[in-house]
C-alpha cells in the first residue's frame, strides 16, 4: 500500500473498524525483539502510532512502563479503554513530532506500521535522542500482497480499481532487498547493530470482510461515500462470483537498531 501524506487523519474516522480489521503481528517478531533487548518491569517503552493497539499487548505483558503516542483522538480513546487494566500504560494524544519526553530516558521505542507517516529525518533523530545509550528502536510493518494462487481474482479486482482508483498500481511483493534498504536508513542517524528480518503469513477473507479491511486504508477512506459504496459493492460481487473468498499474502518486516 503506497503512502499518501496528508491522509493521516483518515484512520481516526474509522477507529473501531480499524481496531477490528487491521491485523496483529506474529509471535516470532516479539521473540526477536526481546532477544535483542530484554524488557522487564523497570523498562521505559514508547510506542509510536498505537492505532488500534494491534502491537501493544505483547509489550504490555512484560510489565514495562508503556507510553503510547497517537495522533487520532478516537483511536487514542479506544486504546485508553482497551488497555485500562494495565496501570503502567499511558496514552498521549499527539503527533510523535510534538511528543514531549526527556532525552536519554527510553529503553525501547517501537512503531508498528506507522513510522512511515513521520518525516524520516525528524522521526529517526527524535527516536535516537529519546533512547538511552544501548536503547533500541524496533520498527515493523505489514505489507499485504495479492492472492498469489488465484490470478483471476486479482485481475477482476484490478479492473474495478482501474475505474474507481486508476492511479492505484498493483505493488510488487515486499522483498528482502526492500527490507534491507529500509533497515539501513537507521545508520544515517547514528544507530548501530542494525538488523532486519522478514515474516510471512496468509489471511483469508469473505467478500464483506475484505471490503471492511480495505475500508481502513487511508486513500480508500478519503473516497466520497457514495462512490466508495459502489466501488466496494463491485469488489464484493467480483469476489463472490469467484468463490466467495480472497487470500492476502502478508510480508512483515522488522528493523532493529541500537543507540551506541
Amino acid at each position: 500500500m503506497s503512502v499518501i501524506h496528508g491522509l493521516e487523519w483518515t484512520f481516526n474516522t474509522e477507529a473501531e473498524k480499524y481496531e477490528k480489521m487491521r491485523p496483529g503481528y506474529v509471535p516470532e517478531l516479539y521473540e526477536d525483539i526481546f532477544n535483542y533487548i530484554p524488557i522487564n518491569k523497570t523498562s521505559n517503552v514508547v510506542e509510536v502510532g498505537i492505532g488500534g493497539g494491534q502491537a501493544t499487548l505483547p509489550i504490555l505483558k512484560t510489565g514495562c512502563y508503556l507510553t503510547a503516542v497517537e495522533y487520532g483522538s478516537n483511536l487514542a480513546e479506544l486504546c485508553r479503554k482497551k488497555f485500562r487494566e494495565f496501570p503502567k500504560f499511558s496514552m498521549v494524544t499527539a503527533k510523535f513530532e510534538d511528543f514531549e519526553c526527556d532525552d536519554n530516558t527510553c529503553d525501547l521505542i517501537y512503531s508498528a506500521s506507522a513510522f512511515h507517516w513521520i518525516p524520516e529525518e525528524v522521526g529517526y533523530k527524535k527516536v535516537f535522542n529519546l533512547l538511552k545509550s544501548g536503547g533500541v528502536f524496533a520498527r515493523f510493518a505489514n505489507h499485504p500482497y495479492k492472492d498469489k494462487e488465484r490470478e483471476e481474482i486479482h485481475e477482476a479486482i484490478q479492473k474495478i480499481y482501474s475505474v474507481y482508483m486508476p492511479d492505484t498500481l498493483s505493488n510488487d511483493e515486499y522483498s528482502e532487498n526492500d527490507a534491507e534498504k529500509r533497515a539501513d536508513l537507521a545508520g544515517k542517524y547514528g544507530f548501530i547493530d542494525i538488523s532486519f528480518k522478514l515474516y510471512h503469513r496468509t489471511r483469508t477473507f469473505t467478500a464483506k470482510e475484505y471490503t471492511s479491511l480495505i475500508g481502513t486504508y487511508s486513500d480508500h477512506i478519503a473516497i466520497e461515500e457514495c462512490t466508495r459504496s459502489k466501488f466496494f459493492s463491485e469488489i464484493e460481487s467480483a469476489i463472490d462470483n469467484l468463490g466467495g473468498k480472497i487470500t492476502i499474502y502478508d510480508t512483515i518486516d522488522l528493523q532493529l537498531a541500537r543507540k551506541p
Side-chain angles (χ1 to χ4, degrees):
M1 200 71 197
S2 59
V3 175
I4 303 176
H5 289 284
L7 294 183
E8 297 93 328
W9 59 270
T10 56
F11 303 116
N12 195 53
T13 67
E14 296 285 357
E16 292 185 3
K17 184 185 291 185
Y18 188 97
E19 191 272 339
K20 178 182 178 182
M21 295 305 304
R22 286 299 184 101
Y25 299 87
V26 296
E28 294 83 2
L29 179 146
Y30 298 101
E31 292 172 10
D32 288 333
I33 292 174
F34 298 146
N35 285 335
Y36 191 88
I37 179 169
I39 298 298
N40 56 43
K41 294 179 181 180
T42 66
S43 300
N44 185 23
V45 179
V46 170
E47 179 175 3
V48 180
I50 191 174
Q54 285 83 359
T56 309
L57 190 58
I59 307 296
L60 279 174
K61 284 183 175 179
T62 66
C64 69
Y65 294 90
L66 175 59
T67 301
V69 184
E70 173 55 50
Y71 178 46
S73 59
N74 294 334
L75 287 165
E77 184 59 29
L78 184 154
C79 288
R80 282 191 184 94
K81 294 177 181 177
K82 185 174 182 177
F83 301 116
R84 63 182 177 272
E85 296 180 2
F86 292 87
K88 293 182 179 179
F89 174 77
S90 60
M91 186 76 240
V92 176
T93 306
K95 287 187 174 183
F96 181 63
E97 298 93 312
D98 301 325
F99 171 57
E100 295 184 2
C101 180
D102 292 336
D103 289 348
N104 305 302
T105 57
C106 300
D107 297 285
L108 170 68
I109 298 176
Y110 75 100
S111 185
S113 297
F115 204 68
H116 54 279
W117 290 105
I118 302 168
E120 177 194 312
E121 184 173 338
V122 175
Y124 277 97
K125 284 184 176 180
K126 184 158 189 170
V127 168
F128 188 90
N129 290 336
L130 297 184
L131 287 170
K132 300 174 181 177
S133 176
V136 168
F137 179 44
R139 182 212 52 79
F140 46 101
N142 186 58
H143 308 275
Y145 189 59
K146 67 180 183 179
D147 193 330
K148 295 192 288 186
E149 301 300 320
R150 302 174 64 210
E151 189 64 27
E152 67 276 12
I153 275 195
H154 175 67
E155 291 178 355
I157 291 176
Q158 284 300 106
K159 287 182 180 178
I160 299 168
Y161 270 83
S162 70
V163 174
Y164 290 94
M165 297 182 71
D167 295 330
T168 301
L169 300 177
S170 178
N171 296 323
D172 293 333
E173 188 169 17
Y174 197 82
S175 69
E176 186 168 323
N177 186 53
D178 294 327
E180 183 174 16
K181 286 182 178 179
R182 186 167 293 188
D184 285 346
L185 288 175
K188 294 167 55 179
Y189 301 96
F191 288 92
I192 61 172
D193 298 338
I194 299 166
S195 66
F196 72 93
K197 189 171 181 180
L198 298 181
Y199 313 84
H200 300 278
R201 69 179 172 197
T202 59
R203 293 176 289 149
T204 299
F205 301 93
T206 64
K208 181 67 72 175
E209 289 169 342
Y210 183 71
T211 54
S212 290
L213 172 66
I214 63 175
T216 68
Y217 293 168
S218 59
D219 51 352
H220 291 59
I221 297 172
I223 298 172
E224 188 273 327
E225 185 175 354
C226 182
T227 301
R228 185 171 65 244
S229 178
K230 294 177 182 177
F231 177 28
F232 284 9
S233 177
E234 290 186 27
I235 290 177
E236 287 181 20
S237 294
I239 294 171
D240 283 334
N241 290 337
L242 290 166
K245 295 288 181 77
I246 183 170
T247 297
I248 300 301
Y249 286 72
D250 288 335
T251 299
I252 301 167
D253 76 305
L254 168 66
Q255 169 199 42
L256 292 167
R258 193 182 307 276
K259 181 176 178 177

